[in-house]
Amino acid sequence: MSATRDAARALATGVLGTAALGVGCLAYAGLYEVDAFRLRRFDVPVLPTGASPIRVLHLSDFHLTPYAVKRQRWVSELAGLEPDLVINTGDNLAHQGAVPFVLRSLGRLLDKPGVYVWGSNDYYAPTFKNPLTYLVRPSRLTRPEKETLPWQDLDRGFTDAGWLNVTHRRTTLPIRGVRFGFRGTDDGHLHLDRYADVAGPIDRSEVDVAIGVTHAPYRRIIDAMAYDGHDLILAGHTHGGQVCIPGYGALVTNCDLDTARVKGLAQHSAGGRTAWMHVSAGLGTSPYAPVRFACPPEATLLTLTPRMG
Ligand SMILES: [Fe+2]
């Protein structure tokens, strides 16, 4: 009887210990790390020889509600970086009333040159999903029948400020004497991307630095951008895996990109050409999955420097 009681006590202790660890991790992920913002920095050698460095602030996946006050405050302080260019890779909204909060948080960043594309969470309101399914398979790929968000109002705010929507457009923009060319697509996660609309080799007589901009880094999109000769590709969407294993990394990318490149600066090759690629882990999360673990929210300052060799 005594041995049975000891075994039962050991089992109960184990179950309670595991439950306590789970609650502790959840509390850390939801109460601390989800607001533990980081500014990451990378140098990217894509400028012509002799050019002065150009600083690009990459923002993504704001997923903003009026109640995410810490996120708004942190983003509002980024204007102090005085970047030369801001690139926003989408998923700004998570609430019908979020547009003025996004614009107010960006503040003086809207006075800088800016380029943007949309993500699925600009178009559609978030809905409850079992967060564990995110770790098992990519989230729903078809265009959902759900509440739309006021992305047109945000579009007006961005374009009134002079930012350029590069969705299925080719645009050139001179910055500090360097001719930048941008091409973007709509969201690949909803199969809205039509890269063919902007495809074609980069014309080096018109463009010094070619940047491809898309929300979700699906292989078909980044392959096409690299193949055409882009120097740099920027994307978001992955949330860096959002819930990661310390010392191991991301379990998922929520698209067909490999987990090794779920966030940060990497390279992507296609057709014999190689582009730099920066994937942002993003600033926010869906309000229905407000946790991050071993993957803090971030913005990234990319310092573009002259090409090597
Ligand atoms: Fe997102």
Side-chain angles (χ1 to χ4, degrees), residues 61 63 90-91 121 215 237-239 284:
D61 297 82
H63 289 273
D91 270 11
N121 288 280
H215 175 65
H237 174 72
T238 65
H239 296 192

Side-chain angles (χ1 to χ4, degrees), residues 16-28:
L16 285 174
T18 304
L21 186 65
V23 169
C25 286
L26 202 58
Y28 167 85

Side-chain angles (χ1 to χ4, degrees), residues 165-177:
N165 182 346
V166 295
T167 303
H168 301 146
R169 288 188 192 135
R170 295 184 185 194
T171 307
T172 56
L173 183 65
I175 299 175
R176 300 177 59 190

Side-chain angles (χ1 to χ4, degrees), residues 37-145:
F37 302 99
R38 307 273 163 90
L39 180 70
R40 302 224 292 169
R41 296 170 190 261
F42 296 102
D43 290 350
V44 194
V46 291
L47 295 184
T49 308
S52 301
I54 292 177
R55 303 192 321 148
V56 179
L57 181 64
H58 182 190
L59 302 175
S60 200
D61 297 82
F62 208 172
H63 289 273
L64 198 62
T65 69
Y67 320 109
V69 175
K70 289 179 181 166
R71 207 177 310 156
Q72 294 168 33
R73 194 179 308 139
W74 193 78
V75 169
S76 72
E77 290 169 0
L78 294 173
L81 295 169
E82 299 288 352
D84 301 298
L85 169 69
V86 181
I87 299 183
N88 180 325
T89 46
D91 270 11
N92 295 273
L93 306 175
H95 188 281
Q96 291 293 347
V99 170
F101 292 87
V102 172
L103 296 174
R104 204 174 305 147
S105 302
L106 292 172
R108 288 192 298 111
L109 289 173
L110 290 169
D111 298 336
K112 304 290 181 186
V115 165
Y116 63 98
V117 293
W118 302 123
S120 58
N121 288 280
D122 294 298
Y123 297 133
Y124 298 106
T127 53
F128 177 79
K129 282 180 230 142
N130 180 349
L132 292 178
T133 60
Y134 177 83
L135 296 176
V136 177
R137 62 173 185 269
S139 58
R140 193 173 171 179
L141 292 169
T142 51
R143 216 173 307 179
E145 295 295 324

Side-chain angles (χ1 to χ4, degrees), residues 8-20:
R9 197 175 297 134
L11 182 63
T13 304
V15 169
L16 285 174
T18 304

